[in-house]
Amino acid sequence: MNTRPTHIPGALAATSLKQLRFTAPLVHCLTNDVVQSFTANVLLALGASPAMVVDPAEAAQFGAIADALLVNVGTLTHPHADAMLAAIHAASQAGKPWVLDPVAVGGLSWRTEFCHEIITLKPAAIRGNASEIRALSGLSASGRGVDSGDDPLSALPAARQLARGTGAVVAVTGETDYVTDGMRSWAVAGGHPMMTRVVGTGCALSAVVAAFAALPGDRLDNVAAACRVMSCAGERACAVVKGPGSFTPEFLDNLYLIGEEWLNGEGMQ
Amino acid sequence: MNTRPTHIPGALAATSLKQLRFTAPLVHCLTNDVVQSFTANVLLALGASPAMVVDPAEAAQFGAIADALLVNVGTLTHPHADAMLAAIHAASQAGKPWVLDPVAVGGLSWRTEFCHEIITLKPAAIRGNASEIRALSGLSASGRGVDSGDDPLSALPAARQLARGTGAVVAVTGETDYVTDGMRSWAVAGGHPMMTRVVGTGCALSAVVAAFAALPGDRLDNVAAACRVMSCAGERACAVVKGPGSFTPEFLDNLYLIGEEWLNGEGMQ
Amino acid sequence: MNTRPTHIPGALAATSLKQLRFTAPLVHCLTNDVVQSFTANVLLALGASPAMVVDPAEAAQFGAIADALLVNVGTLTHPHADAMLAAIHAASQAGKPWVLDPVAVGGLSWRTEFCHEIITLKPAAIRGNASEIRALSGLSASGRGVDSGDDPLSALPAARQLARGTGAVVAVTGETDYVTDGMRSWAVAGGHPMMTRVVGTGCALSAVVAAFAALPGDRLDNVAAACRVMSCAGERACAVVKGPGSFTPEFLDNLYLIGEEWLNGEGMQ
């Protein structure tokens, strides 16, 4: 059951990236307080447009205007939860995809309840680490904070179950990422341990997943492409920098510069 | 009517910059969640002092202490709106200038109403893109999110009208910036398209406009100087970096290092 | 009474740093809106884990899970104050240390009252500039905003008084830092004036103080070690960069790379 899925071909990721740059989707980001600037810069570097609109009434209005919506519960508050619900309903009514990043779900009670409630509202994709995906799927989790104590491959069955239960494409990310629609799955290699020493790499990936979820074509492929683009830019940055401080500028430059030829190959595995 | 205004002379911009560094104005920033850190770093690099005080009662107290106030509605919420009104009234009573950045006005209803309300409270300056300035002036706009679909020069008549109606110096920024008090106008060249791939360059410019609005002397000249200092630091940075990630450190270094001699010339036009 | 304390020996700071990396404390940060990302990146670079959990109910739950709590009142609001009180009580009940950064206390009324209230709740450490520490201690202060008008050495008597009154280790930081438990004191040299041109260096130091306060051993030594690690990384960064923009990546890299041998010596005094 845990047979390792095939790696997404570079050509497939490149096709999605080309479409992203062509369509430049506008992503409505309802994300946590810590990663707002980095998330916006990642989307801009890649060629998408971010906008953070947080008042519930305006979030409802903007949910229908934007091409995709990101909901990240990292610093959830009651006003934010209201805005998220309003934006999810507006996006859904307008036929726009929304993506969930269930930060620290399983470890904290209120956000766990909130995420269990909103995954019934047909997210297009869910991106989390192994313990978050396990917790959402109803299987046991071991996370204490925002970092995962679990291995992504061991959480693939939970990801498949969550995908089948919600209709979302589920990405469980870590040393290798696994992306599944419940039936088919891709592995995504690349990335680097140093990326865990920079805040927001996972959260920004979820925003990129939202941007790619707005593209036409196969959603499983598009979400896996989002993961591959980020892991490719990250591993290239880590190969030349001396620490997590110089990682950030190099990573953003790579997202700006990344071309089709960078994506051929499966990462540094 | 749309004759292109003259470029602000470098010597004029240099005089304002010298005064800014001499007086080191304390700028009370009520700005959006995404750009807080970048805004503070831009002001600090340039030699001004930022402070973000957001509780309505404290914002009123601080509005009278600071040398200038920035109001940016990018992530407007009701508590923020209360703090903004309290700070505007306190700053006005204390004779301190306040500056408006009407992010995404025209595209979203509540902030549009809010900005129409507060521009009656005598802002010293307003800084926005073409579609925001058009929307505030009552002319039609085409913005969907925070980016402008309009050309700055074509919005100059709207900027003039807004300046005459509010008493503010109005800066409409884009590939070239235009700054007007309704009678006289300056053009400000420089900048670079890559700056649109970094979040907060416009928002930080508005904070710098607030700092320069606190200087003695002609406000039109001072606001145009703020635009020129930022475009000069930006175009120099873009000339040596490979992407938007490495832009940020280089840009902040340039704001720290910028001298009179850098400002002679009209930019890269 | 104001005899200059001895500088903390490098070997002592190195021992604390080694323990920090071994235990990787999870630090619950209730900090201001401006410095969230930088604070998280500083903790991650150094080998600790940050988490920002801001809803009052969740903050209470997380206060008992995390290894230490940071309370920074820079952008205090009533919902934040509720979360801070909930987290302080939970951390205290669970025997976890909490650290106060009294940003701009003395200059603004509400936060001054709030901080006077919470310092009765047995903070493990307090980190501020000279005017903030004076204001908390009940002595007169001269701060207008977040920057200090006072010299750290002249505030050492106030720091000692505050330490004796609260039971906290008090760090008063500036060109040289002084750390005291009311009886014994350390001086910490290093740092660089350029660090005052980067937002959040003081706030991030307070988060690092919280991480070090979670370590076993002598708390005075551990808090002084936190100051020394940050000043060492900062002075090394300033020696090679040209401005505050390139400071940030270099500083974070240094926190990631800093080893025992870097800490031998007393800084650049």
Side-chain angles (χ1 to χ4, degrees), chain A:
Chain A
M1 187 166 179
N2 269 357
T3 320
R4 189 175 180 153
T6 312
H7 286 88
I8 183 174
L12 212 57
T15 302
S16 294
L17 174 60
K18 202 172 162 187
Q19 275 196 311
L20 180 93
R21 287 187 170 142
F22 183 72
T23 56
L26 176 59
V27 183
H28 183 190
C29 300
L30 292 174
T31 188
N32 72 68
D33 298 341
V34 189
V35 303
Q36 305 238 10
S37 172
F38 184 62
T39 300
N41 279 327
V42 162
L43 289 172
L44 285 169
L46 211 43
S49 280
M52 283 70 169
V53 177
V54 297
D55 170 71
E58 285 200 339
Q61 192 180 4
F62 196 63
I65 296 171
D67 298 308
L69 168 67
L70 167 69
V71 169
N72 172 309
V73 298
T75 55
L76 194 65
T77 61
H78 286 274
H80 282 160
D82 290 346
M84 287 168 181
L85 284 169
I88 289 170
H89 286 297
S92 299
Q93 281 214 314
K96 309 295 178 69
W98 74 274
V99 170
L100 175 64
D101 186 331
V103 179
V105 158
L108 293 162
S109 307
W110 176 47
R111 67 182 63 196
T112 303
E113 285 165 36
F114 180 73
C115 286
H116 276 295
E117 178 190 337
I118 61 176
I119 57 172
T120 64
L121 302 173
K122 302 203 180 304
I126 301 170
R127 201 287 317 164
N129 64 30
S131 67
E132 292 157 356
I133 296 302
R134 277 180 190 283
L136 264 192
S137 75
L139 302 180
S140 66
S142 69
R144 190 171 69 140
V146 295
D147 301 316
S148 172
D150 293 10
D151 173 55
L153 186 57
S154 71
L156 183 53
R160 285 199 190 105
Q161 182 174 315
L162 184 60
R164 283 192 293 256
T166 59
V169 169
V170 176
V172 50
T173 63
E175 202 180 322
T176 297
D177 306 333
Y178 299 98
V179 184
T180 182
D181 63 6
M183 306 285 282
R184 296 173 303 139
S185 305
W186 289 117
V188 179
H192 190 280
M194 197 195 281
M195 294 175 75
T196 64
R197 305 291 283 269
V198 177
V199 80
T201 49
C203 297
L205 170 55
S206 297
V208 172
V209 165
F212 278 75
L215 301 179
D218 186 87
R219 184 157 288 156
L220 176 70
D221 294 352
N222 285 330
V223 171
C227 295
R228 181 61 192 122
V229 165
M230 292 286 275
S231 77
C232 177
E235 75 190 354
R236 285 221 176 198
C238 290
V240 300
V241 302
K242 63 180 178 172
S246 42
F247 171 83
T248 300
E250 186 72 20
F251 178 61
L252 292 171
D253 283 356
N254 284 350
L255 291 174
Y256 180 71
L257 298 169
I258 190 172
E260 196 170 333
E261 67 289 2
W262 292 27
L263 293 164
N264 292 323
E266 292 181 354
M268 290 183 171
Q269 304 165 67

Side-chain angles (χ1 to χ4, degrees), chain C:
Chain C
M1 187 169 180
N2 270 357
T3 321
R4 188 176 177 152
T6 313
H7 286 88
I8 183 174
L12 213 55
T15 302
S16 293
L17 175 60
K18 202 174 161 185
Q19 275 196 310
L20 180 93
R21 286 186 170 144
F22 184 72
T23 56
L26 176 60
V27 183
H28 183 189
C29 300
L30 291 174
T31 189
N32 71 68
D33 299 341
V34 188
V35 303
Q36 304 239 11
S37 171
F38 184 63
T39 300
N41 279 326
V42 162
L43 289 172
L44 286 169
L46 211 43
S49 280
M52 283 68 171
V53 177
V54 297
D55 170 71
E58 285 200 339
Q61 191 180 4
F62 197 64
I65 296 171
D67 298 308
L69 168 67
L70 167 69
V71 170
N72 173 308
V73 299
T75 53
L76 195 65
T77 61
H78 286 274
H80 282 160
D82 291 345
M84 288 168 180
L85 285 168
I88 289 170
H89 286 298
S92 300
Q93 280 215 315
K96 310 295 178 69
W98 74 275
V99 170
L100 175 64
D101 187 330
V103 180
V105 157
L108 293 163
S109 308
W110 176 48
R111 68 183 63 195
T112 303
E113 286 166 36
F114 180 73
C115 287
H116 276 296
E117 178 189 339
I118 63 176
I119 57 173
T120 64
L121 302 173
K122 301 202 181 306
I126 301 170
R127 201 289 317 165
N129 65 30
S131 67
E132 292 157 357
I133 296 302
R134 278 179 191 282
L136 264 192
S137 76
L139 301 179
S140 66
S142 69
R144 189 171 67 139
V146 295
D147 302 314
S148 173
D150 293 11
D151 174 56
L153 186 57
S154 71
L156 182 52
R160 284 200 189 102
Q161 182 175 315
L162 184 60
R164 283 192 294 256
T166 58
V169 170
V170 176
V172 50
T173 62
E175 201 180 322
T176 297
D177 306 332
Y178 299 97
V179 185
T180 182
D181 63 5
M183 306 286 280
R184 297 173 302 140
S185 304
W186 290 117
V188 179
H192 190 280
M194 196 195 281
M195 294 175 75
T196 64
R197 304 290 283 270
V198 177
V199 80
T201 49
C203 297
L205 171 54
S206 297
V208 172
V209 165
F212 278 75
L215 302 179
D218 187 87
R219 183 157 290 156
L220 176 70
D221 293 353
N222 284 330
V223 171
C227 295
R228 181 62 191 120
V229 165
M230 291 286 275
S231 77
C232 177
E235 73 189 357
R236 285 220 176 197
C238 289
V240 301
V241 302
K242 63 179 179 172
S246 41
F247 170 82
T248 300
E250 186 73 18
F251 178 61
L252 292 170
D253 283 355
N254 284 351
L255 291 173
Y256 180 71
L257 298 169
I258 189 172
E260 196 171 333
E261 67 289 1
W262 291 26
L263 294 163
N264 292 322
E266 292 180 354
M268 290 182 171
Q269 302 165 68

